[in-house]
Amino acid sequence: MPTMKNKWKKTELKQGDTIMTNPRSDDIIIPIMGPTGVGKSTFINTAAGKDVTKVGHNLESCTAAIVHAIVPHPNYPSRRVVFVDTPGFDDTYEDDTEILRRIAVWLAHSYSDNVKLSGIIYLHEITQARMVGTSRKNFEMFEKLCGIESAQNVILATTKWGNIKSDAGERRASQLETFWKDMLSAGSQMERFNGSQKSAWDIVKTITDKKLLEALQIQNELVNLGKLLPQTEAGNALRTSLKNLVAEHKKTIMELRSEKGDGQQVDDRLKETESQIKSLLGQIQELKIPLSKRILAWFGLG
């Protein structure tokens, strides 16, 4: 009989999925996560000292797929640091359900191949006044992917300090400590990326000083526990987020229908909002567990 890990590979991989090939036993593997435009690719290129991954200069994402950037360690040239550039859960071209699937596939496949992560760097733009909207959703998804037991291998790093006055930056950093308190209390560290190569490697060193990560929560759920993606904490969190968005859009539609004014403008907004609801409902449907799978689970065969 195939092992659980082999069974996972066979049923979950799709054509075009990014996986890590030919990893070395001494590789230092660090996924970089965070919202679109936060500076993930910039962080990697700065550490590398050259462009090894594409950087976006507007609100559109450049990293819809997962990209590996292999960089020699500055102190140990024979060792590779593998930065894993990941898309955010607000991608310009892909739905959040597909982004979650791609990240989950990469993490589960790597874990199935006994590849251990050194840690994860989560980036947040310090210029953002409040933790709302996509920033909140991205971090909540990140928490569910990692799980609190993996917090000690997580670095929460702020970016774009050159775009804000120091006193305002300090206030926002203090606010972030409150928002990130659960992860910080569990052992995560908060760092600042100031845009220099030294700053990037100082953050990397904070990770390499730690023991390797045994397993993220979603790796344990998908591989060890054999759950389907919709059954994971991350899947549940995304489904709830999508349902909340549908409710907000339905409220918007009711408000638009009661408005008086430019009929064409209202009609255009109605059509756009209805289209967004249709897309969200499609994503929610993708996160439902098929009846056949539920039946197997009831009999302990799933």
Side-chain angles (χ1 to χ4, degrees):
M1 292 181 65
T3 65
M4 184 178 293
K5 291 183 179 180
N6 288 334
K7 179 180 179 181
W8 181 88
K9 291 181 185 178
K10 181 178 179 180
T11 58
E12 297 297 335
L13 283 171
K14 294 183 179 180
Q15 186 176 4
D17 279 338
T18 302
I19 59 175
M20 191 169 176
T21 58
N22 301 318
R24 298 178 184 175
S25 60
D26 64 346
D27 278 344
I28 299 168
I29 304 171
I30 305 175
I32 312 294
M33 297 187 177
T36 297
V38 74
K40 298 186 290 277
S41 300
T42 297
F43 179 93
I44 295 170
N45 290 340
T46 301
K50 60 181 180 180
D51 290 347
V52 292
T53 183
K54 189 177 180 182
V55 177
H57 297 287
N58 50 41
L59 294 179
E60 293 191 349
S61 63
C62 283
T63 313
I66 292 173
V67 177
H68 300 119
I70 299 174
V71 180
H73 193 289
N75 298 329
Y76 312 99
S78 63
R79 292 193 68 184
R80 308 189 311 177
V81 178
V82 183
F83 292 110
V84 187
D85 197 355
T86 65
F89 287 98
D90 50 353
D91 187 83
T92 313
Y93 304 108
E94 295 291 351
D95 291 336
D96 288 340
T97 49
E98 176 61 14
I99 295 302
L100 174 59
R101 193 196 67 79
R102 291 182 185 183
I103 292 174
V105 161
W106 188 92
L107 290 169
H109 187 279
S110 300
Y111 182 62
S112 294
D113 278 351
N114 299 314
V115 175
K116 291 186 177 182
L117 306 179
S118 294
I120 299 182
I121 297 172
Y122 182 87
L123 299 181
H124 175 85
E125 186 177 336
I126 195 63
T127 57
Q128 292 191 357
R130 292 186 298 164
M131 181 68 81
V132 295
T134 57
S135 293
R136 179 180 289 273
K137 178 177 66 175
N138 269 271
F139 187 73
E140 288 175 349
M141 291 300 301
F142 176 74
E143 280 189 297
K144 298 303 182 183
L145 286 167
C146 293
I148 208 69
E149 293 182 358
S150 303
Q152 291 188 351
N153 290 73
V154 170
I155 303 299
L156 304 172
T158 48
T159 65
K160 303 191 180 182
W161 280 87
N163 297 342
I164 191 172
K165 293 182 178 179
S166 60
D167 56 342
E170 295 296 339
R171 287 196 301 271
R172 291 176 188 175
S174 179
Q175 293 167 357
L176 281 172
E177 287 184 28
T178 300
F179 186 80
W180 289 342
K181 63 180 181 179
D182 290 343
M183 293 288 281
L184 293 172
S185 297
S188 296
Q189 290 179 240
M190 194 168 171
E191 301 288 343
R192 299 181 184 186
F193 173 53
N194 65 19
S196 71
Q197 189 173 34
K198 181 181 183 302
S199 174
W201 284 108
D202 283 346
I203 293 172
V204 171
K205 185 179 185 302
T206 306
I207 285 179
T208 56
D209 285 344
K210 302 176 182 293
K211 293 181 180 179
L212 291 177
L213 186 58
E214 287 300 323
L216 296 176
Q217 178 168 282
I218 197 164
Q219 291 175 318
N220 184 53
E221 289 176 311
L222 292 174
V223 182
N224 294 334
L225 301 180
K227 290 184 177 182
L228 298 172
L229 185 57
Q231 295 173 308
T232 64
E233 291 295 323
N236 287 328
L238 180 55
R239 184 164 49 245
T240 298
S241 175
L242 294 171
K243 287 181 178 179
N244 289 340
L245 281 173
V246 169
E248 290 177 14
H249 286 331
K250 286 183 177 179
K251 183 179 178 181
T252 298
I253 285 178
M254 292 178 62
E255 292 172 350
L256 287 171
R257 286 175 175 167
S258 65
E259 282 186 9
K260 294 180 180 179
D262 188 340
Q264 185 60 50
Q265 186 178 27
V266 171
D267 285 346
D268 290 344
R269 289 185 63 192
L270 277 170
K271 290 179 181 178
E272 180 182 357
T273 306
E274 288 169 350
S275 176
Q276 290 171 340
I277 289 177
K278 183 177 180 180
S279 173
L280 291 168
L281 290 174
Q283 292 185 66
I284 292 170
Q285 184 64 33
E286 289 180 29
L287 287 170
K288 288 185 176 180
I289 303 170
L291 178 60
S292 60
K293 296 288 186 180
R294 294 203 299 268
I295 293 173
L296 289 174
W298 289 337
F299 288 97
L301 301 174

